[in-house]
């Protein structure tokens, strides 16, 4: 078993990410079952190679088999409305959301991240009225990597932090984002759930310790990596009912400031909710200077450290 896992991890660090098949565009609209099944199976294989727990790997393999053997086009099922995908045996809410994203957009941010091909600014440009300049400003100012992360930042009133955004444009952006996500998600998820800062800081500590010891599998990000080197450690772990994925931030801003080995992006998802993310950094000013802090949850971090829970 250990030898098999070792070989899988070596494949993750030595092989280049498999390029997206040319049929990616077919995933928009009706989304042939074969294409969706292939994407789910690829995610399962990459999770296995990157050391994710067997339960999560099996869930994606099971969903891939389920979609492959459906006697109805899954795009038509998604068109039936909220909850139709979730009602398919063997497909839970999280994977239903992934399928809905593929059906509506032809892309799946989670799979792109596993491939090392994630491009948050490209995702933000899917929002009507958001061009390259604003997409980069949103990314650099709010430290969010996904549309769901941007939605959470908007709900918390953080769009006011973005330079050049007035009230009217913020309202238009929130409306456009809400409409886009309503088309992508199979059902409304209500208020976003999040793990506590103790769990997030715990994952951050685990990730940085294992990355420093060289025990984590590494992927070759396509952005800011002209040599194609597999340098980016990735951690998949499960705590208190949450699935976590942690990686160093491979963003333009992190590279410009020399923070690629400090900023840690943590993606999290409960089995019944959409994926979201937070960025953990070393604070450089104020009462938390020198401490690891969850961006956007600084007050919770103050309470956490004051209570001596670190």
């Amino acid at each position: 078993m250990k030898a098999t896992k070792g070989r899988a991890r070596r494949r993750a660090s030595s092989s280049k990410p498999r390029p997206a098949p040319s049929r990616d565009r077919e995933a928009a609209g009706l989304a042939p079952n074969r294409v969706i099944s292939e994407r789910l199976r690829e995610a399962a294989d990459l999770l296995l190679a990157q050391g994710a727990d067997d339960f999560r790997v099996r869930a994606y393999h099971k969903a891939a088999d389920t979609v492959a053997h459906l006697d109805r086009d899954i795009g038509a099922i998604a068109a039936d409305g909220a909850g139709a995908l979730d009602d398919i045996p063997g497909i839970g809410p999280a994977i239903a959301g992934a399928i809905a994203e593929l059906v509506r957009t032809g892309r799946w941010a989670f799979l792109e991240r596993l491939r090392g091909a994630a491009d948050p600014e490209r995702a933000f440009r899917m929002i009507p009225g958001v061009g390259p300049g604003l997409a980069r400003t949103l990314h650099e100012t709010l430290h969010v990597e996904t549309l769901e992360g941007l939605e959470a930042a908007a709900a918390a009133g953080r769009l006011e932090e973005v330079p050049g955004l007035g009230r009217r444009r913020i309202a238009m952006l929130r409306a456009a984002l809400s409409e886009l996500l309503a088309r992508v998600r199979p059902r409304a998820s209500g208020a976003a759930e999040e793990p506590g800062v103790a769990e997030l800081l715990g994952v951050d500590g685990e990730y940085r310790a294992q990355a420093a010891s060289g025990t984590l599998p590494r992927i070759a990000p396509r952005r800011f990596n002209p040599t194609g080197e597999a340098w980016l450690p990735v951690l998949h772990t499960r705590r208190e009912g949450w699935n976590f994925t942690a990686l160093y931030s491979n963003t333009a801003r992190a590279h410009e400031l020399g923070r690629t080995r400090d900023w840690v992006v943590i993606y999290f998802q409960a089995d019944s909710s959409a994926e979201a993310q937070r960025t953990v950094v070393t604070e450089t000013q104020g009462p938390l200077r020198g401490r690891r802090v969850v961006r956007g949850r600084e007050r919770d971090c103050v309470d956490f450290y004051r209570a001596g829970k670190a």
Side-chain angles (χ1 to χ4, degrees):
M1 181 65 182
K2 289 184 178 179
T4 301
K5 194 168 186 179
R7 286 196 296 271
R9 291 192 175 188
R10 285 196 294 274
R11 287 198 301 271
S13 62
S14 60
S15 60
K16 293 182 178 180
R18 184 166 55 186
S22 60
R23 291 180 177 270
D24 263 350
R25 293 189 177 276
E26 290 186 45
L30 292 180
N33 296 9
R34 180 179 62 80
V35 175
I36 301 294
S37 178
E38 286 175 356
R39 301 299 175 273
L40 293 170
R41 201 173 306 281
E42 182 183 358
D45 292 343
L46 288 171
L47 284 168
L48 175 64
Q50 293 172 12
D53 66 273
D54 292 341
F55 174 83
R56 199 175 186 190
V57 173
R58 287 197 301 270
Y60 281 100
H61 270 304
K62 181 178 180 180
D65 291 339
T66 297
V67 172
H69 292 92
L70 287 174
D71 57 6
R72 186 183 175 199
D73 187 282
I74 199 162
I77 296 174
D80 284 345
L85 292 171
D86 195 10
D87 290 338
I88 301 174
I91 295 179
I95 294 179
I99 294 172
E101 182 180 350
L102 275 164
V103 168
R104 297 296 186 185
T105 70
R107 300 176 60 244
W108 183 13
F110 174 72
L111 178 58
E112 290 178 358
R113 187 162 64 250
L114 294 178
R115 290 170 172 169
D119 187 348
E121 293 174 26
R122 178 186 172 196
F124 295 163
R125 292 199 299 271
M126 294 171 57
I127 306 170
V130 175
L134 179 55
R136 179 170 183 176
T137 301
L138 289 168
H139 187 210
E140 293 180 352
T141 304
L142 302 175
H143 298 282
V144 293
E145 306 281 322
T146 64
L147 292 172
E148 288 78 7
L150 183 59
E151 179 187 42
R158 297 184 60 212
L159 289 180
E160 296 179 0
E161 303 171 15
V162 180
L165 285 187
R167 289 186 178 181
R168 183 177 179 183
R169 195 168 188 194
I170 287 175
M172 293 174 63
L173 177 58
R174 292 184 64 170
L177 176 60
S178 177
E179 183 178 352
L180 174 62
L181 285 173
R183 295 199 306 268
V184 170
R185 287 190 292 233
R187 69 169 79 233
S189 57
E193 293 182 79
E194 285 200 30
V197 295
E199 285 78 20
L200 292 169
L201 292 172
V203 172
D204 170 67
E206 179 184 353
Y207 173 74
R208 289 185 298 119
Q210 291 196 41
S213 67
T215 58
L216 291 176
R218 300 183 179 189
I219 61 176
R222 298 183 189 176
R223 302 181 74 214
F224 313 115
N225 189 23
T227 64
E229 177 188 1
W231 70 267
L232 183 60
V234 56
L235 169 71
H236 298 288
T237 186
R238 185 175 176 86
R239 295 183 177 209
E240 303 295 331
W242 294 90
N243 290 312
F244 294 95
T245 297
L247 309 97
Y248 283 127
S249 178
N250 183 44
T251 63
R253 191 63 173 166
H255 282 278
E256 289 170 4
L257 298 178
R259 299 289 184 176
T260 54
R261 299 286 179 172
D262 183 90
W263 295 356
V264 175
V265 182
I266 300 177
Y267 301 88
F268 49 86
Q269 182 177 44
D271 295 332
S272 60
S273 66
E275 185 181 67
Q277 57 90 206
R278 289 285 182 178
T279 300
V280 182
V281 306
T282 301
E283 186 57 271
T284 59
Q285 57 187 352
L288 292 176
R289 183 175 181 178
R291 298 275 198 174
R292 297 295 289 177
V293 171
V294 181
R295 276 285 172 255
R297 297 186 64 181
E298 287 82 359
R299 289 187 178 181
D300 292 338
C301 290
V302 168
D303 294 338
F304 173 77
Y305 287 117
R306 282 179 177 172
K309 297 178 182 178

